[in-house]
Amino acid sequence: MRDNLLLARTEAPDADLWAALAPDLDQKSATISRAFGPASKLLAVIIDKLSEAVYNATRAKGERRRTGGHRTLTHTWIWAVLVGAGFSFAAVTWGRWAVLATLFVHVVLAVEGLLWRMARVSSDILVWLLGATSAWTLVGVLNEPGNGSDWLFDGRPYLWLGLPIVLGSVVHTLGDALTVSGCPMLWPLPIAGKRWYPLGTPAFMRFRAGAWVENKVLMPAFVVIGAASGVGAVVLTA
């Protein structure tokens, strides 16, 4: 579902693309965990352990203990807001270099998420070089007057950077809520006696990730919607 949403939103900024992958940093086999070699794999292990600890420390009486943290802490809206606030703080505090680093990660993960088949057979170094050069170019463009560095917040360049990150994470959790496992996005709000209640659509509407309904129905539908949205955005801004 995550990849379908990414493919559908072809007009999304890089921060949205990165953020839609970010919640899976609690899983060592996820795209984001593999994107930067040993560094991202180590971070995935740390996030997984942190998520496991938070889950077991805050679970309700009737919820079983877990030995892994996937689809817990990083799949909540509180986590989304905290991560978005962290990136905004970094951008405002450290300026251009923080923005460059953030965009570098965004571009690399956009390539890994959208063009994953090609990324798997190419060198990681080539993907990282593409990310670095693209980030440098994007910052140069955004820093030009009127091009968006102070979008929404006059005089506070890149304070907005956390907003698409929050949006991307929320989109990810909504996509996971369509699967059979659901998603505990509203933690720690107690629901039906649980702190980690897996919210989702009615049971008859859910499906397993990778099932035919995802590939044959939702994928084409989201691609069409995304393409139409992109064309509409161009027309409205022309």
Side-chain angles (χ1 to χ4, degrees):
M1 193 62 218
R2 175 200 68 212
D3 293 336
N4 288 351
L5 291 168
L6 290 172
L7 287 169
R9 299 189 64 234
T10 54
E11 80 287 1
D14 292 326
D16 282 37
L17 298 176
W18 175 85
L21 295 170
D24 277 345
L25 193 55
D26 60 2
Q27 187 178 27
K28 290 184 289 186
S29 61
T31 297
I32 187 173
S33 304
R34 300 192 307 265
F36 298 97
S40 54
K41 289 181 180 179
L42 176 60
L43 182 59
V45 171
I46 294 171
I47 295 297
D48 178 55
K49 294 299 182 183
L50 172 64
S51 298
E52 177 187 336
V54 172
Y55 172 88
N56 287 327
T58 62
R59 65 190 176 91
K61 186 176 181 180
E63 294 176 302
R64 63 179 179 82
R65 289 187 63 84
R66 293 187 57 158
T67 56
H70 181 53
R71 204 175 280 200
T72 55
L73 180 62
T74 64
H75 287 64
T76 66
W77 291 356
I78 286 181
W79 176 269
V81 171
L82 290 175
V83 171
F87 274 93
S88 287
F89 175 80
V92 172
T93 304
W94 293 293
R96 180 184 179 90
W97 291 108
V99 176
L100 279 170
T102 302
L103 290 179
F104 166 70
V105 173
H106 297 169
V107 175
V108 170
L109 291 177
V111 172
E112 293 280 354
L114 292 171
L115 305 174
W116 62 272
R117 286 188 176 88
M118 287 183 282
R120 287 290 169 269
V121 298
S122 66
S123 168
D124 285 341
I125 300 298
L126 292 177
V127 177
W128 298 343
L129 286 173
L130 174 61
T133 55
S134 299
W136 190 271
T137 302
L138 285 169
V139 170
V141 172
L142 288 171
N143 281 341
E144 292 293 324
N147 279 3
S149 64
D150 59 352
W151 176 63
L152 286 182
F153 303 97
D154 290 336
R156 302 300 298 272
Y158 298 107
L159 181 59
W160 56 266
L161 194 61
L163 297 178
I165 290 174
V166 173
L167 176 61
S169 294
V170 169
V171 167
H172 182 116
T173 60
L174 292 175
D176 280 349
L178 298 177
T179 64
V180 293
S181 299
C183 190
M185 60 186 77
L186 295 184
W187 171 86
L189 183 68
I191 300 175
K194 297 182 178 181
R195 290 285 183 183
W196 297 89
Y197 186 84
L199 287 171
T201 53
F204 73 91
M205 296 176 62
R206 299 191 191 189
F207 55 88
R208 293 189 180 279
W212 68 268
V213 67
E214 179 180 1
N215 296 322
K216 303 297 185 182
V217 178
L218 295 178
M219 171 76 81
F222 281 127
V223 168
V224 170
I225 293 171
S229 299
V231 172
V234 172
V235 171
L236 290 174
T237 57

